[in-house]
């Protein structure tokens, strides 16, 4: 959601800030997104409230506006440069990426002169704990980078988070306990 606001601000400034419907359409578009999602308006509103509480999004429509509109404050809130916010945006919209993918996919948002400049910016973001470098998976030639923006971050399939593993174990333990109880009662 946040990535969509930033992307549209940079690529289509004439229609920015975005109405709730425009933001829903931006989130649900099927190109340049990983994963592809299908959010409804209540889900969008809920996410906007969470982002607003962090100081990353605010209402941007005036009293005479026909539609409620929203804008991001992300770069201001975190003191991000154009290169940093561009990398984070692509990581939010498309998931984990290689350095080469990031260089080519940020082109509309910010032009990096070299792969080394992308790497330097990623290391600066990693120093602020906003991104992390993922180890190469079998069959991959390069490492990938992923954003770490709280509950907006997507867990990498190759590296599930500790909390997601604990939740899965807890669920499995509850299911086993229920099955044991059913077996005990049937005897």
């Amino acid at each position: 959601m946040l990535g969509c606001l930033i992307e549209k601000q940079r690529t289509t400034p004439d229609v920015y800030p975005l109405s709730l419907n425009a933001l829903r359409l931006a989130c649900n578009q099927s190109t340049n997104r990983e994963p592809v999602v299908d959010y409804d308006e209540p889900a969008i509103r809920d996410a906007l409230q969470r982002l607003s509480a962090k100081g990353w999004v605010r209402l941007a429509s005036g009293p005479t506006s026909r539609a409620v509109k929203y804008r991001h404050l992300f770069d201001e809130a975190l003191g991000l440069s154009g290169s940093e916010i561009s990398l984070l945006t692509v990581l939010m919209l498309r998931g984990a990426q290689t350095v080469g993918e990031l260089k080519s996919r940020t082109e509309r948002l910010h032009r990096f002169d070299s792969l080394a400049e992308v790497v330097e910016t990623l290391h600066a973001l990693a120093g602020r704990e906003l991104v992390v470098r993922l180890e190469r998976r079998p069959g991959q030639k390069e490492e990938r980078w992923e954003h770490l923006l709280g509950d907006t971050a997507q867990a990498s399939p190759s590296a599930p988070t500790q909390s997601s593993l604990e939740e899965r174990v807890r669920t499995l333990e509850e299911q086993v306990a229920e099955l044991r109880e059913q077996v005990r009662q049937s005897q």
Side-chain angles (χ1 to χ4, degrees):
M1 173 125 9
L2 180 59
C4 294
L5 284 168
I6 298 166
E7 176 192 45
K8 297 306 179 188
Q9 177 202 30
R10 300 280 179 111
T11 60
T12 56
D14 52 318
V15 296
Y16 183 83
L18 298 182
S19 68
L20 188 63
N21 188 53
L23 182 54
R24 184 183 60 79
L25 292 172
C27 289
N28 294 341
Q29 77 180 47
S30 59
T31 58
N32 299 322
R33 300 289 188 267
E34 179 61 39
V36 174
V37 296
D38 186 21
Y39 296 139
D40 59 10
E41 284 193 14
I44 300 284
R45 280 193 196 99
D46 182 52
L48 285 167
Q49 287 176 344
R50 288 192 317 271
L51 292 168
S52 180
K54 291 181 177 186
W56 294 356
V57 170
R58 77 171 173 88
L59 193 62
S61 49
T64 59
S65 296
R66 289 185 14 208
V68 175
K69 294 190 175 190
Y70 299 90
R71 69 178 294 253
H72 78 89
L73 305 169
F74 189 60
D75 49 352
E76 298 167 22
L78 295 182
L80 297 169
S81 68
S83 60
E84 291 171 327
I85 198 165
S86 296
L87 289 174
L88 285 169
T89 299
V90 170
L91 290 170
M92 284 185 270
L93 294 175
R94 299 187 78 153
Q97 305 282 304
T98 67
V99 172
E101 289 169 335
L102 286 167
K103 183 178 184 307
S104 66
R105 293 173 177 168
T106 56
E107 194 70 27
R108 294 183 318 141
L109 305 172
H110 176 84
R111 187 177 186 288
F112 287 95
D113 292 328
S114 66
L115 290 175
E117 186 182 352
V118 175
V119 170
E120 181 181 323
T121 306
L122 286 166
H123 282 285
L125 289 168
R128 295 179 63 188
E129 298 182 358
L130 296 173
V131 300
V132 65
R133 184 180 59 213
L134 304 174
E135 295 300 319
R136 276 189 316 131
R137 293 188 296 191
Q140 291 181 334
K141 294 191 310 185
E142 300 177 61
E143 301 166 331
R144 296 183 181 284
W145 290 80
E146 182 175 57
H147 75 88
L148 296 174
L149 297 171
D151 58 357
T152 60
Q154 298 294 319
S156 166
S158 66
T161 64
Q162 185 66 30
S163 62
S164 70
L165 288 174
E166 289 171 359
E167 184 178 317
R168 289 176 63 194
V169 168
R170 192 172 23 262
T171 301
L172 289 171
E173 288 173 340
E174 291 170 2
Q175 291 172 345
V176 168
E178 289 173 13
L179 289 171
R180 283 183 177 156
E181 181 62 24
Q182 290 173 1
V183 168
R184 190 185 63 75
Q185 289 177 356
S186 68
Q187 293 177 343

